[in-house]
Amino acid sequence: MDAALNWLFTLQDSPDDANLRARLDDWLRADPSHSQAFELAVGTWELPEMDMVANEIAARSEHAIALREAVVLRHPGPRRRLWPRIATAAAAAVLLAIGIQQYPAVMLRWRADYATPTGPHEEVSLPDGSRMILNTASAVSVNFQGAKRSVTLLRGEAYFDVVHDAARPFTVAASFSEVEVKGTAFSVRTDNAEDTVVLERGHIDVSLLQNRKDVASLEPGESITASSNNLSIVRKSDTSTSLAWLQGRLVFTDQPFGQVLDEVERYYGQSILVANARLSSMRVNGSYRLDNPERVIHSLATAAGATVTRLPGGIIILR
């Protein structure tokens, strides 16, 4: 990646250098990982965030160069031509740091066929006629080539209403598990620790990716979680609560205040900090609309007797 970014910045500095392009072509052909890294570097460069940073750096660099040129005119010498290169190197260093920070997001964008931002959910009609609804900050890739009907949940949560086709099983793979169905309605949610599968209608089999022999069958109103090592026991699930987000609501029944805030934070998109240990242990019941997550936070704080402080950037502190 370091080499790819170096090639990118060098090419930006000398876009018409045929010899440079020839050497880049040689480097790209030398190893498949070279071309993959270079494509990622180009993709990072093209992010909207890169445009803003690059423009800001360019403006500052041009101003710095102008000042230095004024000094050099009074004190001419060989160092004069170094300043544009120094400014370019400084810009490259900043963009490299930002590129590394953006790396996970870039990879997700490249892998995903469908994705949602923080907040709303989106319905997608799949090639076989099945429905898929992506929840907040979610992403999937799909493969419907030939007899395949497969979806990979890359991030977040999705609901599937699958058209029945006995000859073509429909599969959804997440971080730790895979669901196989022929025609049913269910949801899958994934995070860094586990996958959660909830069945609304029909019948599904859930298997552990690390051990395909570890399989569980779910009936309507049941759920299961999968970690890197094992499947949980099958549990009863109130789908009117666990799938309430499909109707634009969050429903909580006797849940700890801290867990409720974690759930609201998925839709809010900024950090919610609790500076009072008493709040985290409180239990919450209620049904809240998702169209204004900040209003939900204020409602929860009022019910808990907490004060709300909103910092610049949207960070909220409850005390």
Side-chain angles (χ1 to χ4, degrees):
M1 180 54 64
D2 289 344
L5 287 166
N6 183 63
W7 276 112
L8 176 62
F9 295 132
T10 304
L11 195 63
Q12 291 279 336
D13 195 42
S14 305
D16 300 322
D17 190 329
N19 181 55
L20 177 65
R21 288 185 173 275
R23 287 189 288 119
L24 171 60
D25 289 341
D26 291 340
W27 182 78
L28 291 173
R29 285 193 293 265
D31 191 291
S33 65
H34 293 180
S35 59
Q36 293 170 5
F38 189 73
E39 287 176 4
L40 178 59
V42 173
T44 302
W45 180 268
E46 291 175 349
L47 286 172
E49 293 89 341
M50 297 297 100
D51 291 338
M52 292 185 292
V53 172
N55 290 337
E56 177 67 18
I57 291 172
R60 292 173 183 266
S61 298
E62 288 171 5
H63 178 64
I65 291 169
L67 291 176
R68 294 298 184 183
E69 288 291 332
V71 174
V72 171
L73 285 173
R74 290 196 297 270
H75 304 281
R79 291 187 303 168
R80 178 179 177 181
R81 287 164 44 183
L82 291 177
W83 290 110
R85 295 184 183 180
I86 293 171
T88 300
V94 173
L95 288 171
L96 172 61
I98 295 174
I100 292 172
Q101 184 181 25
Q102 293 288 333
Y103 183 88
V106 172
M107 289 301 295
L108 185 68
R109 284 174 56 176
W110 278 22
R111 294 179 63 194
D113 293 305
Y114 302 97
T116 52
T118 299
H121 61 262
E122 179 181 340
E123 181 170 333
V124 177
S125 294
L126 296 173
D128 67 334
S130 299
R131 284 193 312 136
M132 175 178 68
I133 303 177
L134 296 179
N135 201 356
T136 175
S138 300
V140 301
S141 62
V142 301
N143 183 358
F144 281 75
Q145 294 182 351
K148 281 186 172 293
R149 292 199 299 168
S150 66
V151 176
T152 300
L153 181 62
L154 303 172
R155 182 179 69 180
E157 184 174 19
Y159 171 86
F160 302 90
D161 189 352
V162 180
V163 171
H164 181 78
D165 188 341
R168 299 171 65 206
F170 188 105
T171 63
V172 178
S175 298
F176 309 106
S177 62
E178 182 176 84
V179 180
E180 180 172 320
V181 305
K182 292 182 173 64
T184 184
F186 64 99
S187 71
V188 183
R189 175 173 170 176
T190 189
D191 57 34
N192 293 331
E194 63 183 19
D195 301 336
T196 302
V197 181
V198 177
L199 179 61
E200 183 182 42
R201 186 182 72 249
H203 174 90
I204 60 176
D205 293 324
V206 182
S207 60
L208 194 67
L209 287 179
Q210 294 292 336
N211 180 10
R212 297 294 183 149
K213 294 181 180 179
D214 193 354
V215 181
S217 297
L218 268 62
E219 300 299 330
E222 293 181 339
S223 68
I224 194 170
T225 60
S227 66
S228 59
N229 298 320
N230 62 277
L231 295 175
S232 72
I233 61 172
V234 175
R235 301 181 178 91
K236 290 293 184 182
S237 176
D238 182 358
T239 55
S240 65
T241 297
S242 56
L243 299 179
W245 62 269
L246 294 169
Q247 281 72 51
R249 305 195 71 87
L250 284 178
V251 178
F252 304 108
T253 304
D254 195 33
Q255 289 193 24
F257 190 83
Q259 290 184 14
V260 170
L261 287 181
D262 288 342
E263 188 66 16
V264 175
E265 191 174 56
R266 294 175 61 211
Y267 300 87
Y268 180 56
Q270 302 295 334
S271 296
I272 306 172
L273 308 177
V274 179
N276 186 332
R278 176 187 64 85
L279 296 175
S280 296
S281 60
M282 296 183 66
R283 315 298 289 190
V284 175
N285 294 277
S287 175
Y288 300 90
R289 292 178 56 179
L290 283 172
D291 54 356
N292 191 333
E294 189 166 352
R295 183 183 300 167
V296 175
I297 297 168
H298 280 269
S299 297
L300 290 167
T302 299
T307 60
V308 179
T309 301
R310 191 182 193 279
L311 301 179
I315 298 173
I316 290 179
I317 301 175
L318 301 182
R319 292 177 287 192

